[in-house]
Amino acid sequence: MKYKSVFDIIGPIMIGPSSSHTAGAARIGRVARHLFGRKPEFAKISFYGSFAKTYRGHGTDVAIVGGILDYDTFDTRIVDALTIAKQEGIEVSMTEEDAVTDHPNTARVIIGDKNGQIEVVGISIGGGKIEITELNGFSLRLSGNHPALLIVHNDKYGAIAGVANILAKHEINIGHMEVSRKEKGKEALMVIEIDQNADEVIINELNSLPIVQQVVKIHD
């Protein structure tokens, strides 16, 4: 495996003790928060593998809740995240799962309120790096390290071209792109990591496409 910088090896600045179990967990929680788009009223967190065995001792519990509170990995408030979440009226529950997953540091996060919820599965791959591998039942691969667009759309021809044309018109470069669907011809999810944040003009144009149901952006 090749590393792009020294930070890929030693990990980010963070509240300890472990980059995989703390910084990675915080980032999983924060991506879930950004995807949900607002403060949730509840958070149901399931830990698998190594996370399930050590989440209390390694601070994975406070880290992932800190992320859900939208705290970055270096935010000192993370150590008090469980208390702060309770004070803010967020009901948090955590379970240890026995199921065997593809990666030992896996967490499933369900956050929501009376208006809706999302379900996110994320893995911490080391050095504070993560991948989001599932969103509301769709398989995907999202690093959370770059601005991204998640576009729910009808699984029809021309969907990718329509989105790509709008991004090209606004000179938005695509770094990574993939499409997932549960069933042919039904609902699909387009995940696009881009080199710069997309503004509301672009989001509105994407939402205006007949095939698009919803656009969610993750910013830097």
Side-chain angles (χ1 to χ4, degrees):
M1 180 178 180
K2 293 184 178 179
Y3 294 95
K4 295 181 179 179
S5 75
V6 66
F7 296 105
D8 290 346
I9 302 171
I10 66 173
I13 299 171
M14 62 176 188
I15 304 300
S18 162
S19 61
S20 294
H21 286 220
T22 308
R27 284 181 166 167
I28 291 170
R30 199 172 190 213
V31 169
R33 169 65 179 265
H34 287 182
L35 290 171
F36 189 58
R38 57 190 182 274
K39 185 177 79 171
E41 295 175 355
F42 64 84
K44 300 177 182 179
I45 304 163
S46 300
F47 293 114
Y48 299 81
S50 178
F51 270 179
K53 296 175 182 177
T54 63
Y55 72 93
R56 287 192 181 93
H58 284 194
T60 309
D61 50 355
V62 295
I64 202 164
V65 173
I68 292 169
L69 290 169
D70 203 19
Y71 299 162
D72 209 336
T73 55
F74 54 79
D75 196 315
T76 56
R77 292 174 295 177
I78 282 179
V79 296
D80 298 313
L82 293 173
T83 300
I84 295 170
K86 186 176 182 179
Q87 291 171 346
E88 294 192 8
I90 302 174
E91 183 180 346
V92 177
S93 62
M94 299 184 184
T95 58
E96 304 165 22
E97 302 290 346
D98 295 326
V100 178
T101 55
D102 292 336
H103 194 280
N105 297 332
T106 298
R108 183 181 302 272
V109 179
I110 301 173
I111 58 174
D113 56 22
K114 59 182 177 296
N115 296 314
Q117 68 178 42
I118 64 166
E119 181 175 346
V120 172
V121 177
I123 60 175
S124 178
I125 60 177
K129 291 180 174 295
I130 68 164
E131 282 189 4
I132 302 301
T133 59
E134 188 177 314
L135 171 63
N136 291 344
F138 287 104
S139 296
L140 70 156
R141 187 179 62 181
L142 178 67
S143 71
N145 293 326
H146 308 284
L149 298 171
L150 281 72
I151 303 172
V152 181
H153 61 95
N154 299 326
D155 183 29
K156 293 183 177 179
Y157 66 88
I160 295 173
V163 169
N165 286 338
I166 289 175
L167 295 180
K169 183 178 74 171
H170 291 277
E171 299 182 348
I172 300 293
N173 191 50
I174 296 173
H176 172 79
M177 180 178 184
E178 61 181 56
V179 179
S180 175
R181 64 185 183 185
K182 299 177 184 176
E183 187 179 345
K184 182 179 178 181
K186 302 293 184 180
E187 195 175 65
L189 175 67
M190 196 180 306
V191 179
I192 308 172
E193 291 191 337
I194 51 182
D195 289 344
Q196 62 262 57
N197 289 317
D199 60 28
E200 289 304 314
V201 172
I202 298 172
I203 302 303
N204 290 337
E205 282 192 44
L206 292 170
N207 273 315
S208 71
L209 292 172
I211 50 143
V212 169
Q213 300 177 21
Q214 182 183 11
V215 179
V216 176
K217 68 174 180 178
I218 298 177
H219 53 79
D220 273 343

